[in-house]
Amino acid sequence: MANQRLTTGSLLRYLRGNTTEKATLQVVGIKTIDSKTDDPSGASKRYRLMLSDGKATFSSCMLGTQMNKLIETNSLKENSIVRIDRVMVNSIDKQNGRVMLMLYELEVLQSDCERIGDPVALPLTDIINNNGNGTNRLETVNNNQAQAPPPAAAAPPPATNVIRQGSKALPTLDNQKKPNGDNRFAAKGGGGNNTIDKERIINIDTLNPYMNKWTIKARVSNKGQIRNYENARGPGKLFSCDLVDQSGEIRATAFNAECDKFHSMLEMGEVYYIAKASLKAANRQFNTTNNDYEMTFNHDTIIEACDAGEGENIPQVQFNFIPISEVANRTANTTCDVIGVVKSTSDMQTIVSKASQKEFTKRELLLVDEKASISVTLWGQQAEEFDGSSHPVIAFKGIKIGDFNGRTLSCFNNTLIRHDPTETQRTVELRVWYDNEGKSMDLPDLSKGADAGNRPTAVKTLAQIIAEGLGLGDKPDYVSVKAMSTLMKKDQAVYMMCPEERCGKKVVDENNGSYRCEKCNKTYNNFKWAYMVSAEISDTTGAQWITVFRNEAEALLGLTAEEFGAHKLNQSESIIEEIVRKAMNHERIFKLRAKAEQYNDERKIKFTCVGISDIDWSSHGRRLLDEIKQMEPVQN
Amino acid sequence: MSHHYRINGSMIQQYSGKPVSIIGTVSKVHPSGNVIDLETSDKQHIVVRSSENVNVESGSIIEVLGNVDNRNQIECDMIVAFEPEQTANFDMDMYNQAVMLFQHYPQDYLVNL
């Protein structure tokens, strides 16, 4: 019987979310699970399989019940070779590494077969408690190793189905290079692996909480200061740094004892071997590194400096730039990476903080890219040392977004500033653009509060706008919504306005051909029609009445106020109804100004429309994709 | 009427035998008029076979509805040929990302209603 080739490594790939692969695996164990259901047919059996990809095994694989008959007809049995056609990852309790593979579709390629290889159980370490005391499901022949009792998490597979070490050497108590295959052992007690295993260096972008033995070789691209904090458990300290290699980057943090130990040891720009740190989902608000995970140095973490010359191929830093215009769509107080040309630099300024009475020095510069410009603030020493006179290309990594007067950027103490960075194409692109056209272009400035029309605003849902209390502050808030108008007060859509150029006040119709304006204190024999449309707009989350004037009302209704007024005078009801009907139920982007106003004892938020535009589906879709990406810490 | 799964080129194997919908750019039309080489949203090339003569232009964006046969080709039932004005601003890469999202979160994107 020809042996099928198994797809090695596929189990780990499935668990990490790459479920499109159709792997060939071997069944190394089958367990029946009786589920208590109301199913009268009694066919409520569920089978749990242990699968092997030749090198690794995973025991939490649930067979879709529609395939139960494969087992019942003895087509699928121990050692059968199967091809997985559809699989999903089900994370019951990701924090504790409790994950299952749901096998929705598979095909039996070969019923009877010999066991292929000597696969070893995939380590599923407890993400938080990565001291080797985690979910050690390893059963080895060496009794010393099995210190941690099988955890409640995943039921341990039946002993016969687990590791067949064969003749491969098991980890012993001395320091040894590990043979291939994931041999785990209680990290500190047995094995005593206190040195870096340089044979097992992997790429940063493959790190995930499910691995136990790994080493990375990375450069410290960004090292922050030690910061003190206090939380419910008392005071503490931490520092963070970014680690980068050819494949990607990851943020690492050290607390308390580790903070002291590693902060003095790690030097910015140097390359180190690092092993045995905890991994968990990245905190997207402050961690804009391009990695789903972030690292915590713990008591077992080993860091060793790289010999000179060994780290040459490791890049200096990884950037994840967003265009300056995109900063408008990001939430204030989060961080991002941007790159642009310094168009202008202010002098050093000194300000006194109202809160702390402390003096701060700062410098502001105007950063531009091809589509927008924004004000960037540097502080203290960074500000003093900065020289923007040559209009350099500057990249900022981990710079804070502020919402003063629109959008601004401000450096944290962790923010990395690079002049003319060589790691990215953008430097050359921006240089060429600026020297040729950019320097004379007038770009939309995200930091100019003034013009309501040109201000780029964040897009939110109506429910968000209410929930976030937009308009309640001292200054008006500007926001955009994707909505459609669903109701309109058509009878009061236009009013008779004073013909005087700047007046705008409603005139009193004296019914004798004269119109009186109280504001101008004059009587005119004519008037102008003006729009003041009360309309209700709705999106999937709610509805809101807004007021639409002038150009926006014209855009909404498709005709001028004069034309509308003429229909009104002619009492052309059906024409007006048709106009209103066409304006409704048509999705657009409404740019709104929200401001709270006092009405007797009530404070109500009034919404005025300051812009209407058609939806650019492409950029709308990209924004949604971006928001979704920000919401998913780990796949599935 | 059965509901078609929106897929891209790399998902074809997985949907063997299933009704699918694929949006892509016509790369080549076979002289016979019944076979199209389609470049999918993830820049792969697949073969689409139709029982009737297909009237599409090379370079145009179309949607193919059909079944994946056992040669990983599409046996098509229907072709939607979009007007150039309709597809002028179509962001194929974004569509591809959307397709991957549908697959990634099947519980959130309904196919069988």
Side-chain angles (χ1 to χ4, degrees), chain A residues 392-439:
Chain A
V393 173
I394 305 282
F396 295 92
K397 186 174 170 68
I399 192 167
K400 181 171 90 148
I401 298 177
D403 60 358
F404 178 75
N405 236 8
R407 280 284 181 273
T408 58
L409 294 174
S410 169
C411 288
F412 265 142
N413 69 355
N414 257 358
T415 302
L416 181 67
I417 304 180
R418 291 287 301 272
H419 288 239
D420 298 317
T422 49
E423 284 88 352
T424 167
Q425 267 287 78
R426 290 293 288 142
T427 303
V428 175
E429 286 170 13
L430 282 165
R431 177 89 271 141
V432 170
W433 163 79
Y434 187 81
D435 291 340
N436 289 330
E437 357 161 9
K439 59 182 179 225

Short mmCIF file of all heavy atoms in Angstrom, two decimals, chain A residues 392-439:
data_model
loop_
_atom_site.label_atom_id
_atom_site.label_comp_id
_atom_site.label_asym_id
_atom_site.label_seq_id
_atom_site.Cartn_x
_atom_site.Cartn_y
_atom_site.Cartn_z
N PRO A 392 13.38 68.04 5.15
CA PRO A 392 13.67 66.61 5.06
C PRO A 392 12.39 65.78 5.02
O PRO A 392 11.32 66.26 5.38
CB PRO A 392 14.43 66.33 6.37
CG PRO A 392 13.92 67.36 7.32
CD PRO A 392 13.62 68.59 6.50
N VAL A 393 12.55 64.52 4.60
CA VAL A 393 11.47 63.55 4.74
C VAL A 393 11.61 62.96 6.14
O VAL A 393 12.68 62.50 6.52
CB VAL A 393 11.61 62.41 3.69
CG1 VAL A 393 10.57 61.34 3.96
CG2 VAL A 393 11.47 62.96 2.29
N ILE A 394 10.55 63.03 6.91
CA ILE A 394 10.61 62.50 8.27
C ILE A 394 9.57 61.41 8.42
O ILE A 394 8.43 61.57 7.97
CB ILE A 394 10.29 63.60 9.31
CG1 ILE A 394 11.20 64.79 9.12
CG2 ILE A 394 10.42 63.04 10.72
CD1 ILE A 394 12.57 64.59 9.66
N ALA A 395 9.97 60.31 9.07
CA ALA A 395 9.02 59.24 9.37
C ALA A 395 8.82 59.21 10.88
O ALA A 395 9.77 59.36 11.64
CB ALA A 395 9.57 57.90 8.89
N PHE A 396 7.59 59.06 11.30
CA PHE A 396 7.27 58.94 12.72
C PHE A 396 6.66 57.57 12.96
O PHE A 396 5.74 57.18 12.24
CB PHE A 396 6.25 59.99 13.15
CG PHE A 396 6.76 61.40 13.05
CD1 PHE A 396 6.56 62.13 11.89
CD2 PHE A 396 7.43 61.98 14.12
CE1 PHE A 396 7.03 63.44 11.79
CE2 PHE A 396 7.90 63.29 14.03
CZ PHE A 396 7.70 64.01 12.87
N LYS A 397 7.15 56.87 13.95
CA LYS A 397 6.57 55.58 14.28
C LYS A 397 5.99 55.65 15.68
O LYS A 397 6.67 56.02 16.63
CB LYS A 397 7.64 54.50 14.23
CG LYS A 397 7.03 53.11 14.44
CD LYS A 397 8.05 52.04 14.24
CE LYS A 397 7.50 50.71 14.68
NZ LYS A 397 6.42 50.22 13.82
N GLY A 398 4.70 55.35 15.79
CA GLY A 398 4.06 55.38 17.10
C GLY A 398 3.84 56.80 17.59
O GLY A 398 4.11 57.13 18.74
N ILE A 399 3.33 57.66 16.69
CA ILE A 399 3.05 59.04 17.07
C ILE A 399 1.58 59.16 17.44
O ILE A 399 0.72 58.50 16.86
CB ILE A 399 3.44 60.00 15.93
CG1 ILE A 399 3.43 61.44 16.43
CG2 ILE A 399 2.56 59.83 14.70
CD1 ILE A 399 4.10 62.40 15.48
N LYS A 400 1.29 60.01 18.41
CA LYS A 400 -0.07 60.08 18.94
C LYS A 400 -0.94 61.02 18.12
O LYS A 400 -0.52 62.10 17.72
CB LYS A 400 -0.01 60.58 20.39
CG LYS A 400 -1.39 60.65 21.04
CD LYS A 400 -1.29 60.93 22.51
CE LYS A 400 -1.29 62.42 22.78
NZ LYS A 400 -1.93 62.75 24.06
N ILE A 401 -2.19 60.60 17.92
CA ILE A 401 -3.14 61.42 17.17
C ILE A 401 -3.93 62.25 18.15
O ILE A 401 -4.50 61.74 19.11
CB ILE A 401 -4.10 60.51 16.38
CG1 ILE A 401 -3.31 59.69 15.37
CG2 ILE A 401 -5.15 61.35 15.67
CD1 ILE A 401 -4.15 58.71 14.60
N GLY A 402 -3.97 63.56 17.92
CA GLY A 402 -4.74 64.44 18.78
C GLY A 402 -5.88 65.05 17.98
O GLY A 402 -5.85 65.07 16.76
N ASP A 403 -6.90 65.56 18.68
CA ASP A 403 -8.03 66.11 17.93
C ASP A 403 -8.22 67.59 18.17
O ASP A 403 -9.34 68.11 18.09
CB ASP A 403 -9.31 65.34 18.23
CG ASP A 403 -9.67 65.41 19.72
OD1 ASP A 403 -8.90 66.02 20.49
OD2 ASP A 403 -10.70 64.84 20.10
N PHE A 404 -7.16 68.30 18.45
CA PHE A 404 -7.27 69.73 18.62
C PHE A 404 -7.46 70.38 17.27
O PHE A 404 -6.63 70.22 16.38
CB PHE A 404 -5.99 70.27 19.29
CG PHE A 404 -6.01 71.75 19.46
CD1 PHE A 404 -6.79 72.33 20.44
CD2 PHE A 404 -5.27 72.57 18.61
CE1 PHE A 404 -6.82 73.71 20.59
CE2 PHE A 404 -5.29 73.94 18.76
CZ PHE A 404 -6.07 74.51 19.76
N ASN A 405 -8.59 71.11 17.12
CA ASN A 405 -8.77 71.81 15.85
C ASN A 405 -8.73 70.88 14.65
O ASN A 405 -8.10 71.19 13.64
CB ASN A 405 -7.64 72.84 15.69
CG ASN A 405 -8.22 74.22 15.49
OD1 ASN A 405 -9.42 74.42 15.62
ND2 ASN A 405 -7.37 75.17 15.15
N GLY A 406 -9.39 69.74 14.78
CA GLY A 406 -9.33 68.81 13.64
C GLY A 406 -8.47 67.64 14.04
O GLY A 406 -8.81 66.83 14.88
N ARG A 407 -7.31 67.54 13.40
CA ARG A 407 -6.42 66.45 13.77
C ARG A 407 -4.99 66.97 13.85
O ARG A 407 -4.56 67.74 12.99
CB ARG A 407 -6.47 65.34 12.70
CG ARG A 407 -7.66 64.43 12.81
CD ARG A 407 -7.48 63.46 13.95
NE ARG A 407 -8.58 62.53 14.11
CZ ARG A 407 -9.68 62.76 14.81
NH1 ARG A 407 -9.82 63.89 15.42
NH2 ARG A 407 -10.62 61.85 14.90
N THR A 408 -4.26 66.55 14.87
CA THR A 408 -2.85 66.91 14.96
C THR A 408 -2.08 65.66 15.38
O THR A 408 -2.67 64.66 15.78
CB THR A 408 -2.60 67.98 16.05
OG1 THR A 408 -3.08 67.46 17.30
CG2 THR A 408 -3.31 69.27 15.74
N LEU A 409 -0.77 65.74 15.27
CA LEU A 409 0.07 64.64 15.71
C LEU A 409 1.03 65.15 16.76
O LEU A 409 1.53 66.28 16.68
CB LEU A 409 0.87 64.06 14.54
CG LEU A 409 0.05 63.37 13.44
CD1 LEU A 409 0.94 62.98 12.29
CD2 LEU A 409 -0.64 62.15 14.02
N SER A 410 1.28 64.32 17.76
CA SER A 410 2.15 64.75 18.84
C SER A 410 3.03 63.59 19.27
O SER A 410 2.55 62.46 19.39
CB SER A 410 1.26 65.23 20.00
OG SER A 410 2.03 65.41 21.15
N CYS A 411 4.31 63.88 19.53
CA CYS A 411 5.22 62.78 19.87
C CYS A 411 5.06 62.32 21.31
O CYS A 411 4.95 63.12 22.23
CB CYS A 411 6.67 63.22 19.66
SG CYS A 411 7.09 63.36 17.93
N PHE A 412 5.06 61.02 21.49
CA PHE A 412 5.13 60.39 22.81
C PHE A 412 6.60 60.28 23.16
O PHE A 412 7.45 60.47 22.31
CB PHE A 412 4.65 58.94 22.70
CG PHE A 412 3.22 58.73 23.03
CD1 PHE A 412 2.49 57.81 22.30
CD2 PHE A 412 2.59 59.40 24.07
CE1 PHE A 412 1.16 57.57 22.59
CE2 PHE A 412 1.26 59.16 24.36
CZ PHE A 412 0.55 58.25 23.61
N ASN A 413 6.91 59.80 24.34
CA ASN A 413 8.34 59.55 24.59
C ASN A 413 8.82 58.30 23.88
O ASN A 413 10.00 58.11 23.67
CB ASN A 413 8.66 59.52 26.09
CG ASN A 413 8.07 58.29 26.78
OD1 ASN A 413 7.35 57.52 26.17
ND2 ASN A 413 8.37 58.16 28.05
N ASN A 414 7.88 57.47 23.46
CA ASN A 414 8.24 56.25 22.72
C ASN A 414 8.29 56.46 21.22
O ASN A 414 8.64 55.55 20.48
CB ASN A 414 7.19 55.17 22.98
CG ASN A 414 7.68 54.15 23.97
OD1 ASN A 414 8.80 54.23 24.43
ND2 ASN A 414 6.83 53.20 24.27
N THR A 415 7.85 57.61 20.76
CA THR A 415 7.75 57.82 19.32
C THR A 415 9.13 57.83 18.69
O THR A 415 10.05 58.48 19.18
CB THR A 415 7.04 59.15 19.03
OG1 THR A 415 5.77 59.13 19.65
CG2 THR A 415 6.89 59.38 17.54
N LEU A 416 9.24 57.10 17.58
CA LEU A 416 10.51 57.03 16.89
C LEU A 416 10.50 58.03 15.73
O LEU A 416 9.56 58.08 14.95
CB LEU A 416 10.69 55.62 16.34
CG LEU A 416 11.98 55.32 15.60
CD1 LEU A 416 13.13 55.39 16.57
CD2 LEU A 416 11.91 53.94 14.97
N ILE A 417 11.53 58.83 15.64
CA ILE A 417 11.62 59.80 14.54
C ILE A 417 12.81 59.43 13.67
O ILE A 417 13.91 59.23 14.18
CB ILE A 417 11.85 61.23 15.07
CG1 ILE A 417 10.75 61.60 16.07
CG2 ILE A 417 11.88 62.22 13.93
CD1 ILE A 417 10.91 62.98 16.62
N ARG A 418 12.59 59.28 12.37
CA ARG A 418 13.69 58.97 11.47
C ARG A 418 13.74 60.00 10.36
O ARG A 418 12.73 60.26 9.70
CB ARG A 418 13.49 57.58 10.86
CG ARG A 418 13.64 56.45 11.85
CD ARG A 418 15.09 56.27 12.23
NE ARG A 418 15.89 55.99 11.06
CZ ARG A 418 16.11 54.77 10.59
NH1 ARG A 418 15.61 53.74 11.21
NH2 ARG A 418 16.84 54.59 9.51
N HIS A 419 14.92 60.51 10.13
CA HIS A 419 15.13 61.43 9.01
C HIS A 419 15.46 60.62 7.77
O HIS A 419 16.34 59.77 7.82
CB HIS A 419 16.31 62.36 9.31
CG HIS A 419 15.99 63.38 10.36
ND1 HIS A 419 16.07 64.74 10.13
CD2 HIS A 419 15.59 63.25 11.64
CE1 HIS A 419 15.74 65.39 11.22
NE2 HIS A 419 15.45 64.51 12.15
N ASP A 420 14.79 60.93 6.68
CA ASP A 420 15.10 60.28 5.41
C ASP A 420 15.34 58.78 5.57
O ASP A 420 16.42 58.29 5.26
CB ASP A 420 16.33 60.93 4.75
CG ASP A 420 16.08 62.39 4.42
OD1 ASP A 420 14.98 62.68 3.92
OD2 ASP A 420 16.95 63.23 4.70
N PRO A 421 14.36 58.04 6.07
CA PRO A 421 14.58 56.62 6.34
C PRO A 421 14.86 55.85 5.06
O PRO A 421 14.20 56.04 4.05
CB PRO A 421 13.27 56.16 6.97
CG PRO A 421 12.26 57.15 6.54
CD PRO A 421 12.97 58.45 6.34
N THR A 422 15.84 54.97 5.14
CA THR A 422 16.21 54.20 3.95
C THR A 422 15.38 52.93 3.81
O THR A 422 15.41 52.27 2.79
CB THR A 422 17.69 53.78 4.01
OG1 THR A 422 17.91 53.21 5.32
CG2 THR A 422 18.60 54.97 3.81
N GLU A 423 14.60 52.59 4.85
CA GLU A 423 13.87 51.32 4.79
C GLU A 423 12.67 51.36 3.87
O GLU A 423 12.03 50.34 3.66
CB GLU A 423 13.35 50.92 6.17
CG GLU A 423 14.39 50.37 7.10
CD GLU A 423 15.04 51.49 7.86
OE1 GLU A 423 14.75 52.65 7.51
OE2 GLU A 423 15.81 51.23 8.78
N THR A 424 12.28 52.53 3.43
CA THR A 424 11.04 52.59 2.69
C THR A 424 11.18 53.37 1.39
O THR A 424 11.89 54.36 1.30
CB THR A 424 9.91 53.20 3.56
OG1 THR A 424 8.81 53.52 2.74
CG2 THR A 424 10.40 54.45 4.24
N GLN A 425 10.46 52.92 0.39
CA GLN A 425 10.39 53.58 -0.90
C GLN A 425 9.83 54.99 -0.77
O GLN A 425 10.13 55.87 -1.58
CB GLN A 425 9.41 52.81 -1.80
CG GLN A 425 10.01 51.75 -2.67
CD GLN A 425 10.79 52.35 -3.80
OE1 GLN A 425 11.92 52.81 -3.62
NE2 GLN A 425 10.21 52.38 -4.97
N ARG A 426 8.99 55.17 0.21
CA ARG A 426 8.25 56.42 0.35
C ARG A 426 9.19 57.62 0.45
O ARG A 426 8.86 58.71 0.01
CB ARG A 426 7.37 56.37 1.62
CG ARG A 426 6.19 55.42 1.51
CD ARG A 426 5.19 55.91 0.49
NE ARG A 426 4.45 57.08 0.93
CZ ARG A 426 4.11 58.09 0.15
NH1 ARG A 426 4.46 58.10 -1.12
NH2 ARG A 426 3.40 59.10 0.64
N THR A 427 10.36 57.39 1.04
CA THR A 427 11.28 58.50 1.21
C THR A 427 11.63 59.11 -0.15
O THR A 427 11.56 60.32 -0.34
CB THR A 427 12.58 58.02 1.90
OG1 THR A 427 12.21 57.42 3.14
CG2 THR A 427 13.52 59.17 2.14
N VAL A 428 11.97 58.23 -1.07
CA VAL A 428 12.34 58.73 -2.40
C VAL A 428 11.12 59.31 -3.10
O VAL A 428 11.19 60.38 -3.72
CB VAL A 428 12.94 57.58 -3.24
CG1 VAL A 428 13.22 58.05 -4.65
CG2 VAL A 428 14.20 57.06 -2.58
N GLU A 429 9.99 58.62 -2.98
CA GLU A 429 8.77 59.10 -3.66
C GLU A 429 8.42 60.50 -3.18
O GLU A 429 8.10 61.40 -3.96
CB GLU A 429 7.60 58.17 -3.34
CG GLU A 429 7.67 56.84 -4.07
CD GLU A 429 6.64 55.86 -3.54
OE1 GLU A 429 5.72 56.28 -2.79
OE2 GLU A 429 6.74 54.67 -3.86
N LEU A 430 8.47 60.69 -1.85
CA LEU A 430 8.08 61.99 -1.29
C LEU A 430 9.08 63.07 -1.68
O LEU A 430 8.70 64.19 -2.00
CB LEU A 430 7.99 61.90 0.23
CG LEU A 430 6.73 61.24 0.75
CD1 LEU A 430 6.88 60.86 2.21
CD2 LEU A 430 5.54 62.18 0.59
N ARG A 431 10.35 62.72 -1.68
CA ARG A 431 11.38 63.69 -2.03
C ARG A 431 11.15 64.20 -3.45
O ARG A 431 11.13 65.40 -3.71
CB ARG A 431 12.76 63.01 -1.89
CG ARG A 431 13.93 63.88 -2.28
CD ARG A 431 14.47 64.70 -1.14
NE ARG A 431 13.80 65.98 -1.05
CZ ARG A 431 13.46 66.57 0.10
NH1 ARG A 431 13.74 65.99 1.24
NH2 ARG A 431 12.87 67.73 0.09
N VAL A 432 10.96 63.27 -4.36
CA VAL A 432 10.78 63.64 -5.77
C VAL A 432 9.51 64.47 -5.92
O VAL A 432 9.51 65.51 -6.58
CB VAL A 432 10.69 62.36 -6.64
CG1 VAL A 432 10.27 62.70 -8.04
CG2 VAL A 432 12.03 61.64 -6.64
N TRP A 433 8.43 64.01 -5.27
CA TRP A 433 7.16 64.73 -5.38
C TRP A 433 7.29 66.15 -4.85
O TRP A 433 6.86 67.12 -5.48
CB TRP A 433 6.07 63.97 -4.62
CG TRP A 433 4.87 64.81 -4.34
CD1 TRP A 433 3.86 65.14 -5.19
CD2 TRP A 433 4.58 65.46 -3.11
NE1 TRP A 433 2.95 65.95 -4.57
CE2 TRP A 433 3.36 66.17 -3.28
CE3 TRP A 433 5.21 65.52 -1.85
CZ2 TRP A 433 2.77 66.92 -2.27
CZ3 TRP A 433 4.62 66.26 -0.84
CH2 TRP A 433 3.41 66.96 -1.06
N TYR A 434 7.92 66.28 -3.68
CA TYR A 434 8.00 67.59 -3.05
C TYR A 434 8.83 68.55 -3.87
O TYR A 434 8.45 69.70 -4.11
CB TYR A 434 8.58 67.47 -1.64
CG TYR A 434 8.53 68.77 -0.87
CD1 TYR A 434 7.35 69.17 -0.23
CD2 TYR A 434 9.64 69.62 -0.79
CE1 TYR A 434 7.27 70.36 0.45
CE2 TYR A 434 9.57 70.82 -0.10
CZ TYR A 434 8.39 71.19 0.52
OH TYR A 434 8.31 72.37 1.20
N ASP A 435 9.99 68.08 -4.32
CA ASP A 435 10.88 68.96 -5.06
C ASP A 435 10.26 69.40 -6.38
O ASP A 435 10.52 70.49 -6.85
CB ASP A 435 12.22 68.26 -5.33
CG ASP A 435 13.01 68.06 -4.04
OD1 ASP A 435 12.70 68.78 -3.05
OD2 ASP A 435 13.90 67.20 -4.00
N ASN A 436 9.42 68.53 -6.95
CA ASN A 436 8.83 68.90 -8.23
C ASN A 436 7.53 69.67 -8.12
O ASN A 436 7.33 70.65 -8.81
CB ASN A 436 8.58 67.63 -9.08
CG ASN A 436 9.89 67.06 -9.57
OD1 ASN A 436 10.85 67.79 -9.76
ND2 ASN A 436 9.94 65.76 -9.75
N GLU A 437 6.60 69.19 -7.29
CA GLU A 437 5.35 69.94 -7.20
C GLU A 437 4.95 70.27 -5.78
O GLU A 437 4.36 71.30 -5.52
CB GLU A 437 4.15 69.19 -7.81
CG GLU A 437 4.46 67.88 -8.44
CD GLU A 437 3.24 66.99 -8.60
OE1 GLU A 437 2.10 67.46 -8.37
OE2 GLU A 437 3.43 65.83 -8.95
N GLY A 438 5.29 69.36 -4.85
CA GLY A 438 4.73 69.49 -3.51
C GLY A 438 5.00 70.79 -2.80
O GLY A 438 4.17 71.31 -2.07
N LYS A 439 6.19 71.34 -3.05
CA LYS A 439 6.54 72.52 -2.26
C LYS A 439 5.65 73.71 -2.57
O LYS A 439 5.51 74.61 -1.74
CB LYS A 439 8.01 72.89 -2.44
CG LYS A 439 8.41 73.18 -3.85
CD LYS A 439 9.90 73.47 -3.90
CE LYS A 439 10.30 73.75 -5.33
NZ LYS A 439 11.51 73.05 -5.69
#
